[in-house]
Amino acid sequence: MASKSNKVNVWFPDESYSSVETRTEEGHPVLIIIQDSLKQFEFKEVFGWNLSVIFYLTDAGENGMPGRDEIGLIQDYCEYLENKFNDNPDKPNALFLFRETYDGISHVVWRVYDADKVDDILQKVIAEKDHPREFDYEMEYDEEWKLAEWYLQDFPKKNK
């Protein structure tokens, strides 16, 4: 008897990013980097897990924004994690969605295919203390990308 295959061929759009500057309710600055190409991504249900990671920054100014070195450290570490999540470049397991920085934290979200694999990686990182800053993470099943809706909206363009 032939078995059904659950194989799905996924097409990934070319990456494109935008930045959004906004403010918290308290008036503090917020900088958000969003992967715009996921707005039109057709295979959202394949990446049904929402991975939210919050890094606690140690070098933040009075307004809660980190210095250039701190931003670089977190960005480099996120790339390191993403490479661990995506050990097979032909079959990505996690797609970077956004990073928002404000009030001494950097909040990063990836959309994930295999949540168990990513959870194992993060548990190992925690156990081995292989992280430059303390962090918390949460993984939620969100097939319809409701948790990402706000970040995938069309933000107004700034007049120059």
Side-chain angles (χ1 to χ4, degrees):
M1 179 177 200
S3 65
K4 285 187 174 181
S5 172
N6 289 337
K7 185 177 180 179
V8 175
N9 291 321
V10 177
W11 171 82
F12 297 97
D14 292 335
E15 293 180 352
S16 66
Y17 300 91
S18 65
S19 64
V20 175
E21 295 178 26
T22 187
R23 297 220 166 251
T24 65
E25 289 181 8
E26 295 79 21
H28 299 160
V30 179
L31 176 62
I32 309 170
I33 305 299
I34 303 168
Q35 184 176 175
D36 288 328
S37 55
L38 294 182
K39 290 179 181 180
Q40 310 326 318
F41 187 54
E42 296 178 28
F43 302 95
K44 289 180 177 168
E45 69 279 356
V46 175
F47 291 85
W49 290 92
N50 190 80
L51 169 62
S52 173
V53 180
I54 296 180
F55 294 96
Y56 300 98
L57 308 176
T58 61
D59 178 23
E62 285 183 31
N63 64 1
M65 295 304 282
R68 179 173 288 172
D69 290 344
E70 188 84 348
I71 289 172
L73 179 80
I74 295 300
Q75 184 174 343
D76 290 348
Y77 189 70
C78 287
E79 288 175 16
Y80 166 79
L81 285 177
E82 192 166 329
N83 287 333
K84 289 181 112 19
F85 300 157
N86 297 320
D87 57 349
N88 180 347
D90 294 329
K91 295 181 181 179
N93 186 47
L95 305 175
F96 171 82
L97 179 59
F98 71 84
R99 181 178 69 244
E100 63 183 340
T101 305
Y102 63 96
D103 287 343
I105 67 166
S106 187
H107 177 210
V108 185
V109 169
W110 285 273
R111 297 303 306 199
V112 175
Y113 169 68
D114 183 347
D116 290 335
K117 177 180 177 178
V118 168
D119 188 61
D120 289 346
I121 290 167
L122 290 171
Q123 288 299 315
K124 184 176 180 184
V125 161
I126 292 167
E128 295 177 356
K129 298 186 183 330
D130 181 21
H131 46 87
R133 296 292 178 265
E134 293 298 316
F135 71 93
D136 290 318
Y137 77 95
E138 183 176 7
M139 188 118 46
E140 295 179 69
Y141 191 68
D142 177 35
E143 184 178 49
E144 295 180 14
W145 289 40
K146 294 288 186 194
L147 296 170
E149 275 181 351
W150 190 87
Y151 299 93
L152 295 175
Q153 69 177 297
D154 289 326
F155 290 94
K157 300 290 183 208
K158 280 187 177 180
N159 294 332
K160 293 191 178 197

